[in-house]
Amino acid sequence: MEELTSRGYNAEREAVTLLANAGEPELAAEAAAEAAGDAFVVTSEHAREALDSALLDPAPDSEATPDDPTPPDASEGAPDLAEQAPTDMNAGNDPTPADELLTGEDGSDGPDVSTGDGESENRQIEPGRGVETEGSHAGASAGDAGAGDDGGTAAEAGGDSPTAADAVGDRSPPAPEIRNDVTGRSTGTGEYDEFVGTFQDRYERLSGLLRGRVNHRPAEAIQSMPGGSDAEMIGLVDDIRSTASGHWIVELEDTTGTFPCLIMKDRAFAPLVDDLLLDECLAVQGTLADDGGILFVDSLHFPDVPRTHKPNTADRHVQAALISDVHVGSQEFAQEAWDRFADWLHTPEAEAVEYLLIGGDMVEGVGVYPDQDEELDVVDIYEQYETFAEELKKVPGDMEIVMIPGNHDAVRLAEPQPAFTEELRDIMSAHDARFTGNPSTVTVEGVSVLMYHGVSLDEVIAELPEEKASYEEPHKAMYQLLKKRHVAPQYGGHTRVAPEEKDYLVIDEVPDVFHTGHVHKLGWGKYHNVLAVNSGCWQEQTAFQKSVNIDPDYGHAPILDLDTLDMTVRKFV
Ligand code: D5M
Ligand code: FE
Ligand code: ZN
């Protein structure tokens, strides 16, 4: 199973059983993946084909196949930027207007970011019956009402049980506009070399954001500068190591080579080294050592979001529900909460909620994690989508729905993930929903929402200090992605990345709202005026989550006022 998931496939339960019972399960899985081609769901058919065919003998080449967008060995570092003939990295890089220098600054301390200390207003509203606020776990994690201090106080919901009969039925939202969607534009065939192109594009665009702030000299040029010279460089982080005396060496790479940069432990910005992830883009300014072999760093710059960013707002009162991680098909799918949510959408109170944005993991999928099948309610992946479609039908038909896939969905696992296939769209066609890739930028009523499922959040949370990123405050992990202007900076870890000519994971334009899910925790706040929302889930605690003490925030719907960017969380548990 791991073999299949690591290659970006989901698999039917029967297929898993067949492959697991094969003489050499790993090879069998690999062969089944070949048979599945670009189907992304390995069916029992594929498994049988693999077991019957000569594919197993001799052992297939373990190199990635053209259908497999993931690298042969994810533990391998990011490809060398300079491996291919360097493109002209200096051309076409419009330096952004100089934002304020962000040297050594941690944006999350900015005044526009609330601390989630529980003192801020906790705007949670509970419609429906018998709902308790007290003791709500979300109360603690979502108390970070950073979404503005202007109005929007909690209102008590009406006591009547809403039913579909209360339908308001006069929504007529204009169509959202979608950008940065890989769907239908995928160029990657899975060759490792293609990653060089992806990283060159990443470098080109992220360094473009930094060029107004530093006077970049290529690594090659710095290598031949005399000792003692001042030098500035923009590069992707290639290595981070500490010296015997506790200082840090950050190796930066551009298209001409790499150069080591020394960050002294007593510098004010030294703690920022803890926030660094491999392969993110950084700029440094400093002075070369006497022998010219290392750069002593005086300042560090992240691509970041300008503090002056002014978000767009809708010019009428209209709202969007931001949800994710529905996990239909799981025994833990929170059916009652979902039904209450869907019912509430039919009430006059929800009249302004014209958009439903779903950030991935529509269904529980099959074979996503070991032993996951023991908790499946619906074992067939297509039946899961059929069941999901039934759940979606409960939502008012005049809402505009946008969906991206997540890691439990039946599309390729490697990011950027293309939108659901025609076959799956047909199953989920009831609402004429819009299907777009993960990530995508969806503009509703003038407000741009960067939708990203959020797999990289696990990594950001694992790598960064607790106060910068934690499951309790997932929005802070999102701030880091905004600061790095990339939704999944680190290559070769948990987050699978596909080689595309364009790095779709770069956050090119600053969004007004950043919407993720995946970690099943609710949290929101503002980072340099960008509202970051992680939207919880509709799945109660799974056995795995119990084993690692993850207490999911299920049955909550963050409702966003598109005209003010204020957030209200509605509880349906
Ligand atoms: O994952 C929901 C959250 O739980 C996310 O933070 C990953 C984590 N998770 C869940 N199951 C597992 C297993 N089996 N291994 C590691 N991490 C896990 P989602 O993928 O949205 O269900
Ligand atoms: Fe999920
Ligand atoms: Zn997920």
Side-chain angles (χ1 to χ4, degrees):
M1 192 61 250
E2 256 168 50
E3 171 65 23
L4 289 174
T5 25
S6 74
R7 295 171 58 123
Y9 287 95
N10 288 314
E12 276 182 3
R13 190 156 123 133
E14 196 188 338
V16 176
T17 315
L18 282 169
L19 296 172
N21 293 336
E24 290 180 281
E26 269 184 28
L27 289 183
E30 204 166 317
E34 309 272 338
D38 56 8
F40 299 115
V41 178
V42 177
T43 61
S44 50
E45 199 88 324
H46 295 133
R48 281 195 201 94
E49 199 181 309
L51 295 171
D52 291 349
S53 76
L55 271 173
L56 286 179
D57 188 26
D61 190 340
S62 66
E63 285 290 305
T65 67
D67 288 321
D68 179 1
T70 56
D73 176 7
S75 62
E76 216 169 313
D80 196 339
L81 267 183
E83 234 165 55
Q84 278 179 355
T87 50
D88 183 1
M89 309 298 295
N90 294 316
N93 274 330
D94 285 344
T96 38
D99 321 313
E100 294 172 45
L101 288 187
L102 293 158
T103 308
E105 161 193 277
D106 175 7
S108 63
D109 292 337
D112 50 352
V113 176
S114 62
T115 56
D117 55 6
E119 280 170 32
S120 44
E121 187 184 3
N122 180 6
R123 281 173 292 143
Q124 297 211 10
I125 305 183
E126 306 155 31
R129 323 139 265 216
V131 182
E132 299 289 329
T133 336
E134 272 186 276
S136 153
H137 44 77
S141 72
D144 182 40
D149 317 313
D150 40 348
T153 46
E156 287 310 316
D160 292 343
S161 318
T163 66
D166 297 326
V168 259
D170 56 359
R171 299 176 176 95
S172 51
E177 183 201 314
I178 291 169
R179 291 192 304 282
N180 194 50
D181 175 14
V182 69
T183 315
R185 298 192 186 92
S186 181
T187 54
T189 61
E191 294 299 323
Y192 184 74
D193 283 355
E194 288 179 320
F195 281 102
V196 178
T198 313
F199 276 82
Q200 283 179 343
D201 180 64
R202 174 185 300 197
Y203 179 74
E204 207 159 310
R205 291 192 289 135
L206 290 178
S207 66
L209 297 173
L210 286 156
R211 282 186 197 253
R213 285 180 261 167
V214 299
N215 181 21
H216 169 70
R217 309 304 312 155
E220 208 171 42
I222 298 179
Q223 281 155 13
S224 49
M225 280 162 82
S229 316
D230 288 339
E232 307 186 356
M233 181 183 167
I234 304 171
L236 301 185
V237 175
D238 191 48
D239 189 32
I240 307 165
R241 52 186 187 271
S242 60
T243 68
S245 39
H247 305 300
W248 297 99
I249 295 172
V250 176
E251 194 97 36
L252 288 186
E253 178 176 22
D254 67 11
T255 50
T256 68
T258 66
F259 202 82
C261 305
L262 186 84
I263 297 176
M264 308 281 282
K265 63 182 176 196
D266 50 0
R267 299 301 297 246
F269 54 84
L272 287 175
V273 175
D274 291 339
D275 301 0
L276 296 184
L277 292 175
L278 291 178
D279 310 318
E280 72 172 285
C281 189
L282 272 189
V284 294
Q285 294 173 305
T287 310
L288 288 178
D290 289 346
D291 68 357
I294 199 164
L295 181 79
F296 290 109
V297 178
D298 290 324
S299 68
L300 258 187
H301 310 263
F302 293 88
D304 221 320
V305 172
R307 279 183 170 275
T308 50
H309 174 66
K310 269 215 155 7
N312 300 292
T313 52
D315 51 19
R316 65 182 183 116
H317 178 59
V318 55
Q319 297 176 312
L322 272 44
I323 66 165
S324 65
D325 300 275
V326 191
H327 288 266
V328 168
S330 157
Q331 286 168 5
E332 286 82 21
F333 169 58
Q335 183 75 64
E336 278 185 28
W338 177 266
D339 288 346
R340 282 194 198 125
F341 169 53
D343 284 348
W344 174 73
L345 289 171
H346 288 274
T347 66
E349 211 182 0
E351 207 171 8
V353 187
E354 301 198 18
Y355 298 90
L356 177 64
L357 308 186
I358 317 181
D361 286 359
M362 310 300 147
V363 300
E364 174 64 10
V366 285
V368 182
Y369 292 120
D371 299 329
Q372 181 211 17
D373 49 347
E374 288 164 20
E375 290 183 72
L376 288 181
D377 203 23
V378 182
V379 296
D380 178 87
I381 184 81
Y382 293 102
E383 265 173 52
Q384 289 184 4
Y385 282 100
E386 278 156 22
T387 315
F388 172 73
E390 290 308 311
E391 296 302 334
L392 205 57
K393 281 184 195 160
K394 297 175 181 173
V395 166
D398 55 2
M399 287 183 77
E400 181 68 61
I401 301 176
V402 183
M403 296 187 229
I404 63 166
N407 59 313
H408 283 250
D409 287 303
V411 301
R412 85 168 178 204
L413 187 57
E415 298 174 10
Q417 293 182 287
F420 292 107
T421 57
E422 280 306 325
E423 191 177 8
L424 294 172
R425 290 180 197 206
D426 282 347
I427 297 175
M428 298 183 276
S429 62
H431 269 294
D432 203 15
R434 259 155 246 278
F435 300 93
T436 180
N438 168 39
S440 285
T441 300
V442 178
T443 301
V444 283
E445 312 267 340
V447 177
S448 66
V449 183
L450 170 58
M451 295 179 71
Y452 169 60
H453 177 61
V455 168
S456 70
L457 294 173
D458 282 328
E459 215 147 11
V460 175
I461 289 169
E463 304 266 329
L464 267 53
E466 170 92 23
E467 69 277 10
K468 294 290 179 62
S470 67
Y471 286 108
E472 288 313 308
E473 295 181 304
H475 50 291
K476 291 195 176 167
M478 299 171 75
Y479 297 168
Q480 292 292 328
L481 299 178
L482 288 168
K483 184 172 180 173
K484 300 175 193 309
R485 296 287 288 268
H486 199 281
V487 297
Q490 190 157 297
Y491 172 88
H494 182 67
T495 314
R496 314 292 301 188
V497 175
E500 299 290 347
E501 273 167 25
K502 170 180 168 187
D503 186 351
Y504 288 86
L505 308 177
V506 167
I507 305 176
D508 233 348
E509 5 162 358
V510 177
D512 301 319
V513 178
F514 183 22
H515 172 204
T516 61
H518 181 64
V519 297
H520 294 206
K521 297 296 282 184
L522 181 61
W524 74 96
K526 278 191 180 172
Y527 178 76
H528 295 186
N529 303 322
V530 178
L531 175 65
V533 186
N534 196 82
S535 54
C537 62
W538 298 86
Q539 182 185 38
E540 295 185 37
Q541 193 180 47
T542 62
F544 167 82
Q545 288 165 347
K546 194 169 177 161
S547 74
V548 295
N549 247 334
I550 296 180
D551 187 12
D553 294 328
Y554 69 92
H556 299 70
I559 308 291
L560 171 67
D561 271 352
L562 291 166
D563 46 336
T564 59
L565 301 190
D566 273 350
M567 271 258 317
T568 310
V569 174
R570 294 260 168 186
K571 293 179 60 187
F572 299 96
V573 281

